[in-house]
Amino acid sequence: MPLYMDFHKNVVATFDEVVLAHLADLEVQEKHHVKYHKFWINPKEGTIYCLIEAPDRHACEAVHKESHGHLACSIVEVDPDFFKLVMGDGHQVDNGPMHHADGSLDLGYRNILAVSLWHEQGAHPTEARKLALEKIAAFHGRVIKWAANDHLIGVFNDSVNAVRCAKKIKLELLVRQSEAIAQANPPIHFKIGLSAGQPVTETSELFEEAVQLALRLCTVAREEEILVSSLVKQLCLEEELLEDDRADTVKLLSTKEEGFILELLRITESRLADERFTIDTLSRDIGMSRPQLYRKVTALIGRPPNDLLRELRMEKAMSLIKQKAGNISEIALEVGYNNASYFAKCFHEKFGCNPSSYAENHKG
């Protein structure tokens, strides 16, 4: 049978009342050909997530309706293999609620690490990817694939492990970078985004919002920077890990800053193909003057809006080339460049090679 996860919000019941509601589900589930496996409860957030095998969403809902009347605000179908990968193993079940292996209550949070890697002259970053994959595994992370995206994406149960992993990847890649420069070889470049979230929302699939946030943070991070979401900052119990120092730059975002970045990217990503989309257009759409936008964006991500817009276009072009989404002229148009020669010039400035060479290096 299909596997589903439902989402309850604004829950005011006690822990014991939730367990009793789950037991009530078990009493009537067979009648509806449903099996309620387990659930995750987060008392502070007032959220509950139930894992269910059922013929369809209506059957899931019918069990809750008959047993206690507390209906979910969202029910999504989940792929069993992806679910196991993202939620992990080693849990304990006590009458339904999930606990970590150490006995603590599993609140459902998972931490998402996104790593973007590229060589200065367009070569495939094989060794750097291997290093990052090894570190994700070493810190008890699990690698997932996300649509056509070619970032490395790791999932961690624990925020401390996620942050430690990000910092270790950064430090070892910086060593590789210095070695390459000393040997006059093209250095590796990277950016890292770290986010966290709960399994589903009213409008998203399994961990969709958390993964998308990590990817967006990776996009706007400076080169060789770790950009950390407000929730990871809140969940990380070893605060000293997040402290900045010369060798290990970690940028922490507030909830307000995070919201601004998401709105900024929402507007720009929807208009990248429009060559008439400029910073004046962006400032108008986001509701602030051009000087205000310049100051805010520069203070937040270390570069002005014009540089960010060009970078977003180049990174999308790089992704489209890897996906073989068209010839170079078509991809140039897709990211807002009518002039293929100027597009190639901008691409070379960003990645150290022209688009055709990059495509040749990434045939496989």
Side-chain angles (χ1 to χ4, degrees), residues 174-232:
L174 286 175
V175 171
R176 299 279 184 96
Q177 190 181 77
S178 297
E179 290 173 348
I181 293 171
Q183 297 168 14
N185 292 324
I188 189 74
H189 293 287
F190 62 91
K191 299 193 288 186
I192 299 174
L194 260 179
S195 73
Q198 289 189 282
V200 297
T201 69
E202 290 177 275
T203 58
S204 70
E205 300 296 321
L206 188 65
F207 285 102
E208 180 181 5
E209 287 193 3
V211 172
Q212 292 292 356
L213 176 58
L215 292 172
R216 281 168 166 78
L217 296 182
C218 194
T219 296
V220 301
R222 296 178 236 200
E223 291 184 12
E224 286 72 65
E225 180 181 64
I226 303 169
L227 192 54
V228 180
S229 78
S230 56
L231 184 54
V232 173

Side-chain angles (χ1 to χ4, degrees), residues 1 3 6 21-39 50-56 58-68 95-96:
M1 282 195 296
L3 191 66
D6 73 9
H22 175 71
L23 295 175
D25 288 331
L26 301 186
E27 290 180 5
V28 303
Q29 64 180 9
E30 190 174 342
K31 174 181 174 182
H32 299 279
H33 310 289
V34 169
K35 184 173 182 181
Y36 271 75
H37 285 280
K38 47 198 172 187
F39 64 88
C50 305
L51 184 66
I52 317 144
E53 265 188 287
D56 54 43
H58 299 296
C60 301
E61 191 174 65
V63 172
H64 276 341
K65 188 173 183 179
E66 180 175 342
S67 60
H68 47 68
N95 288 326

